[in-house]
Amino acid sequence: SRRKTVCPAAGEHPLQYNYTFWYSRRTPSRPASSQSYEQNIRQIGTVASVDQFWRFYHLIRQGDLSGHSDHLFKEGIKLHVGDESNRSGGKWIIRLRKGLASRFWENIILAMLGEQFMVGEEICGAVVSIRFQEDILSIWNRTSNDQMTTSRIRDTLRRVLNLPTNTIMEYKTHNDSLRDNSSFRNTKISL
Amino acid sequence: GTRIIYDRKFLLDCRNSPLAR
């Protein structure tokens, strides 16, 4: 078990796991390399309770800038597909038309913090990526070839986000992301 | 072990508690 660096204060509501907020900004002019990726990502802070989460969440303005991403990951997991926690993993990707990301992002992270996915230790974290024409949500898990887990994550997403039945959800393994050097292009599985 | 589960409504209610500000 990971050593926790942050603890709930007296009277606060503890979370099952500590989570760390990250922020990153895309620099479209430069090719995406792991070096520029590491340079562009910034750790904002770690929370151990529901109360601490809301204090951070209120501080972060979301949805008003194009070309940035907010990340909420379990403490200790690095936001790189090559990290040990992510090596065999993958992610569900949901593309959203502009205007929906804030609400959907909040619902995804509340489901994650509240342990609604019921997949043991599988969830790593979630990302919202604010783009120019569309926004992208993703949720990462540890074991991409565990179909029971990935199906359960997909079904929970449909439920908590109340997704229209025609919403396209795509699953992509991190190996595929490494291979084509893109997080969202050329997705292999589409359901 | 036990898992700490919260539903959405509970989490949203906590949003307005004095501890969350």
Side-chain angles (χ1 to χ4, degrees), chain A residues 21-78:
Chain A
F21 280 102
W22 304 75
Y23 173 90
S24 69
R25 185 131 186 82
R26 267 159 58 95
T27 49
S29 54
R30 274 190 299 174
S33 69
S34 59
Q35 198 190 6
S36 67
Y37 182 76
E38 304 265 340
Q39 282 166 353
N40 285 331
I41 198 150
R42 201 156 49 88
Q43 191 171 323
I44 298 173
T46 298
V47 297
S49 70
V50 179
D51 317 81
Q52 292 168 10
F53 163 75
W54 283 122
R55 288 203 295 271
F56 264 93
Y57 191 76
H58 287 148
L59 289 177
I60 301 169
R61 285 179 59 201
Q62 198 266 312
D64 56 347
L65 283 171
S66 193
H68 86 275
S69 299
D70 283 318
H71 313 249
L72 186 64
F73 271 69
K74 284 179 183 164
E75 183 180 29
I77 294 182
K78 289 192 180 135

Side-chain angles (χ1 to χ4, degrees), chain A residues 85-97:
Chain A
S85 308
N86 300 319
R87 203 158 289 159
S88 312
K91 64 187 170 208
W92 278 106
I93 301 165
I94 304 168
R95 292 165 187 277
L96 300 170
R97 62 182 164 81

Side-chain angles (χ1 to χ4, degrees), chain A residues 4 13-19 48-50 74 112-115 120-121, chain B residues 1-6:
Chain A
K4 294 186 172 184
H13 305 85
L15 293 168
Q16 175 73 32
Y17 299 98
N18 284 7
Y19 287 86
S49 70
V50 179
K74 284 179 183 164
M112 184 169 75
L113 298 174
E115 289 291 312
E121 312 281 307
Chain B
T2 40
R3 206 157 261 276
I4 306 169
I5 295 171
Y6 297 116

